[in-house]
Amino acid sequence: MRSRLAAIIAFAATLPLAACGGAAAPVQQAAPAPSQLSIAMWSAPDTLNPVVAQTGYDDQIIGLLYDTLVWESPNQQFHPLLAERWDTSADGRTFTFHLNPRAKWTDGQPVTAADVAYTIELDTDPAIPSTLGSYMSLLVGTDSQGHNLAPGAPPAGVHVIDPHTIALQTKAPVDPYMVLYNIASIMYVVPQHALQAITPKAFAKAPVFQDPKVTDGPFTFVKYVTGQYAELAANPNYDMGRPKVDEVFIKIVPPTSMLAELRDGEIDVTANNVPLQDWPTIATLPNVKQDPVPGLGAQFMVINTARPYLASAAVREAIATAINRQAIVSDLLKGLGQVPVGPFASFYKTYYDAALKPYTFNTAAAKAALAAAHFPFRQPLTLDVPTGDQIRMETGPLLQQNLQAAGLNVQIQQYDFGTMIAQVEKGNYDFALIGSGYANDPLRSSLFFTCKGSLNLDHFCDPIVDHAYQQATSTTNPAVRKSAYDTLQAELQKQEPYVFLYQADGLLAYNTRVGGTAIPDAYGMQEPWLWEVR
């Protein structure tokens, strides 16, 4: 519209000269307005540092600035990104990635195998709070938590063959899917030449990530206005081809404003669910298309097992029994979801144990079990609830009522998401509401449930759980992996360090002007170089 208007104004400016018989001035063709795509998400990112990022809000932006070796489509197939192809050795222990020679950093330097090795060095350095450490434990030269046994260089299992070839060696034969899914598709590669002067202790909060100029993704960083939006521009030299969208704005939009901004065309795509109460209205908007999908994540209540009064599995099981999770799904979600059992999604059927069932809601039984466990009913308890997600905020009072009915003295504390996470990481909480995406490969959940997992927010440590993860990651036999993960799921339900509350359906929407063969959706920022807007 702006383009047409500019052309009309330029044409109209020549009319007086023509009417007076003078020679008409040449019409200046207005440059077409840049194509823009606005993506809305509820909360602000905590960091743009791809090595230490923890939240999906971080990833929404980081994933457009930095590339991984491969990307995975919803059908669980892997596709080239920085790596144009990859091989697996006959013994199932060496995985070789051949990099795209066209891949370049935005300062013109090539993306090399040395960059990949350097990234793994960072991700395994004990001094850097990387979220990928548990996955890196697959590699030779790391300990059981993925920490490098010889920091200051890449782990021993990382071999740079030539500038565009790198081999990763695992401690034992593993299913290739594990390496592709847990390392190659989630590890954002960073530029060694631009970052190597930063010490490991300073890396997490290095100022360079406030204005990341040397990146290799489909879009380049322009600016970030704290708490409002991030502005990105198409990378003209991107190895997969220049993106079709010139500018991307990732806007921080509170759920209460989502409907109005979709209706008015202020946002094009929702990266988080449309508030449930607005879903029927969205269906009436002629300029908006609904995009519902099965739930790709779960909301859960983390229990601080480091608290002496919450350390008993019997107490935690009683707390789970006190919560009416079906009421949350029926009343708050209007039936658009289900009650989950644990950290494995039912639609990823390979390792899901369908025999496990959620604890049955029973207030009287919960109260009796707490009394039998000698729970101190007068103990003040806090339930931390982050702002932003409306359903999660409404879940807080329901949980409070359920737990109070069982005799617990629970009070709600509300924080913005970042502040609440900081409180939880310090252990300053009893219960906290958090969500997480489900993963195709159950190894991802090890971040939460292993004794030294980088997201072990509940301070839970169980040797049976750790052994099950270890057994599942040291075999190429699917039956052995299935058996180990069945043991894992049963033990997690028995111990109940998290109460899995609900799995909401994905209620996303996008403006009808967004088209092409790919759009941002519930499955993530996939093929962003193919996004189109009309």
Side-chain angles (χ1 to χ4, degrees), residues 156-228:
V158 177
H159 305 282
V160 173
I161 309 301
D162 61 44
H164 290 100
T165 311
I166 188 167
L168 307 183
Q169 185 181 12
T170 58
K171 298 171 184 174
V174 299
D175 183 343
Y177 186 88
M178 292 181 61
V179 173
L180 290 169
Y181 185 67
N182 294 298
I183 297 179
S185 70
I186 64 171
M187 180 185 69
Y188 297 111
V189 176
V190 297
Q192 182 180 29
H193 67 280
L195 304 175
Q196 59 188 346
I198 304 172
T199 64
K201 288 185 178 180
F203 193 86
K205 296 183 178 180
V208 66
F209 293 109
Q210 297 173 17
D211 186 19
K213 292 301 187 186
V214 183
T215 58
D216 62 349
F219 292 90
T220 62
F221 182 81
V222 177
K223 66 180 175 179
Y224 173 57
V225 179
T226 304
Q228 297 184 43

Side-chain angles (χ1 to χ4, degrees), residues 383-395:
L383 171 61
D384 291 1
V385 179
T387 56
D389 184 325
Q390 187 64 32
I391 298 298
R392 186 161 55 192
M393 291 171 62
E394 293 177 7
T395 298

Side-chain angles (χ1 to χ4, degrees), residues 290-308:
Q290 291 177 305
D291 186 23
V293 296
L296 298 179
Q299 297 292 325
F300 40 82
M301 185 177 79
V302 187
I303 302 176
N304 186 353
T305 66
R307 301 287 206 207

Side-chain angles (χ1 to χ4, degrees), residues 397-472:
L398 292 182
L399 298 181
Q400 182 186 33
Q401 293 171 17
N402 286 167
L403 296 174
Q404 287 178 339
L408 301 186
N409 179 15
V410 178
Q411 300 301 319
I412 290 176
Q413 295 277 0
Q414 273 200 349
Y415 302 95
D416 65 84
F417 189 81
T419 301
M420 193 202 76
I421 285 293
Q423 288 288 102
V424 170
E425 289 178 336
K426 293 175 183 176
N428 297 334
Y429 78 104
D430 292 307
F431 310 121
L433 300 188
I434 299 179
S436 177
Y438 279 127
N440 299 1
D441 191 305
L443 179 60
R444 291 273 182 97
S445 61
S446 66
L447 296 179
F448 294 93
F449 299 112
T450 51
C451 294
K452 296 183 179 179
S454 57
L455 294 178
N456 187 322
L457 304 175
D458 52 3
H459 308 287
F460 173 70
C461 184
D462 183 339
I464 296 176
V465 169
D466 276 27
H467 178 71
Y469 278 117
Q470 183 179 11
Q471 186 180 24

Side-chain angles (χ1 to χ4, degrees), residues 39-100:
I39 303 171
M41 64 182 186
W42 290 341
S43 294
D46 291 333
T47 181
L48 296 182
N49 184 329
V51 175
V52 302
Q54 295 187 18
T55 75
Y57 302 117
D58 303 335
D59 279 345
Q60 298 286 7
I61 301 173
I62 291 171
L64 298 178
L65 297 175
Y66 298 89
D67 268 352
T68 54
L69 291 172
V70 303
W71 68 276
E72 185 192 21
S73 53
N75 63 358
Q76 298 177 277
Q77 297 297 310
F78 295 97
H79 307 269
L81 208 52
L82 284 178
E84 59 182 4
R85 60 187 176 89
W86 49 92
D87 317 310
T88 304
S89 64
D91 64 359
R93 292 189 57 197
T94 302
F95 302 84
T96 304
F97 295 89
H98 306 270
L99 305 187
N100 186 337

Side-chain angles (χ1 to χ4, degrees), residues 246-324:
D246 298 315
E247 300 172 346
V248 171
F249 291 85
I250 300 180
K251 300 175 62 177
I252 316 305
V253 179
T256 52
S257 303
M258 195 81 75
L259 172 61
E261 297 221 10
L262 273 170
R263 180 196 63 212
D264 298 340
E266 295 296 323
I267 57 176
D268 298 310
V269 178
T270 61
N272 298 115
N273 286 347
V274 171
L276 185 64
Q277 66 269 22
D278 294 334
W279 193 242
T281 304
I282 295 292
T284 68
L285 301 180
N287 65 318
V288 177
K289 180 176 177 59
Q290 291 177 305
D291 186 23
V293 296
L296 298 179
Q299 297 292 325
F300 40 82
M301 185 177 79
V302 187
I303 302 176
N304 186 353
T305 66
R307 301 287 206 207
Y309 44 85
L310 298 173
S312 165
V315 167
R316 297 193 297 270
E317 179 181 339
I319 289 171
T321 303
I323 296 174
N324 189 347

